[in-house]
Amino acid sequence: DSGVTQTPKHLITATGQRVTLRCSPRSGDLSVYWYQQSLDQGLQFLIQYYNGEERAKGNILERFSAQQFPDLHSELNLSSLELGDSALYFCASSVGTPGNTIYFGEGSWLTVV
Amino acid sequence: DAKTTQPNSMESNEEEPVHLPCNHSTISGTDYIHWYRQLPSQGPEYVIHGLTSNVNNRMASLAIAEDRKSSTLILHRATLRDAAVYYCISYGPYGSTGNQFYFGTGTSLTVIP
């Protein structure tokens, strides 16, 4: 158990809908990272937050948005969903400096039908 | 743009040492080298990380070249449980060009019984 909690674990929704994925970081971690991994694809970095502020942005679509709240949990919002958005979405957390370990959650499986 | 380069796949016999190479020729002086591994449908798992000196932990050893342009992850005795995709990542401080925790394509390690 990495200490990073992601909910829901599985989600099935229809095209055009909107979903929210939630991440609770490890206790004491200030930074949250989001990744997308499609079937048989690599891990695509989406976005990173540190103590509520955006720190780094990767290949995140405009239909996707994220935020980190004052209690440090984070949400990834996916809207106007397409079939191609079906993927495993991982959240990770760390203290926030490059010399620290980054811990990953078990992921949220999103299936768009 | 890939910041690290790794072989796509490697094989090892069980109980033999495994040396997984990684090139990071554009690494800057403040970028750490992290290694993670991932089993199918699971979140990436931390293996080891370092900056300049070689590092050892209970899972593996990390050998960093003197010029820091390459590194090698060493699994001292491969077991079947070590079969996974191994990722080498260079990660720098906020504000630097290496500020994204970016996964490349990784090396798929097969362990032969």
Side-chain angles (χ1 to χ4, degrees):
Chain A
D1 182 8
S2 67
V4 179
T5 304
Q6 291 188 244
T7 56
K9 293 195 185 317
H10 299 272
L11 187 58
I12 302 175
T13 190
T15 55
Q17 295 298 305
R18 171 189 171 96
V19 298
T20 297
L21 308 179
R22 182 187 169 100
C23 172
S24 294
R26 284 164 47 98
S27 177
D29 283 355
L30 298 177
S31 202
V32 170
Y33 310 73
W34 285 99
Y35 292 83
Q36 178 193 55
Q37 188 169 36
S38 304
L39 193 63
D40 296 329
Q41 298 293 313
L43 286 147
Q44 299 295 317
F45 171 71
L46 296 178
I47 200 162
Q48 178 199 353
Y49 282 87
Y50 177 82
N51 204 20
E53 295 190 357
E54 184 182 304
R55 266 286 172 94
K57 202 168 188 176
N59 300 320
I60 187 167
L61 299 174
E62 285 191 8
R63 299 183 287 108
F64 296 179
S65 65
Q67 61 184 122
Q68 186 179 27
F69 294 87
D71 66 352
L72 301 177
H73 91 273
S74 177
E75 293 182 355
L76 178 66
N77 299 298
L78 315 174
S79 61
S80 302
L81 285 167
E82 303 175 358
L83 296 178
D85 297 328
S86 295
L88 190 51
Y89 291 84
F90 288 108
C91 171
S93 76
S94 77
V95 171
T97 56
N100 291 104
T101 303
I102 297 175
Y103 296 91
F104 282 77
E106 295 183 350
S108 292
W109 277 101
L110 173 65
T111 302
V112 182
V113 297
Chain B
D1 294 337
K3 296 190 294 182
T4 62
T5 305
Q6 301 175 250
N8 287 333
S9 62
M10 291 184 64
E11 286 187 352
S12 174
N13 293 319
E14 195 175 10
E15 297 189 4
E16 294 289 321
V18 183
H19 291 236
L20 297 167
C22 179
N23 288 318
H24 28 78
S25 58
T26 61
I27 196 169
S28 71
T30 53
D31 291 354
Y32 279 78
I33 300 155
H34 290 250
W35 282 83
Y36 281 71
R37 68 183 185 183
Q38 186 182 28
L39 294 171
S41 301
Q42 293 188 21
E45 177 188 27
Y46 169 78
V47 178
I48 201 166
H49 75 281
L51 183 61
T52 56
S53 304
N54 294 344
V55 185
N56 300 294
N57 66 21
R58 63 175 181 82
M59 289 183 69
S61 295
L62 175 60
I64 301 172
E66 195 169 336
D67 63 5
R68 299 203 340 117
K69 293 184 184 300
S70 66
S71 62
T72 301
L73 177 69
I74 303 165
L75 306 179
H76 296 287
R77 289 184 64 194
T79 69
L80 297 179
R81 293 172 56 186
D82 292 323
V85 178
Y86 286 78
Y87 296 95
C88 165
I89 302 148
S90 67
Y91 186 39
Y94 177 57
S96 72
T97 56
N99 183 41
Q100 291 188 8
F101 202 76
Y102 170 85
F103 286 81
T105 54
T107 297
S108 179
L109 176 66
T110 300
V111 179
I112 302 168

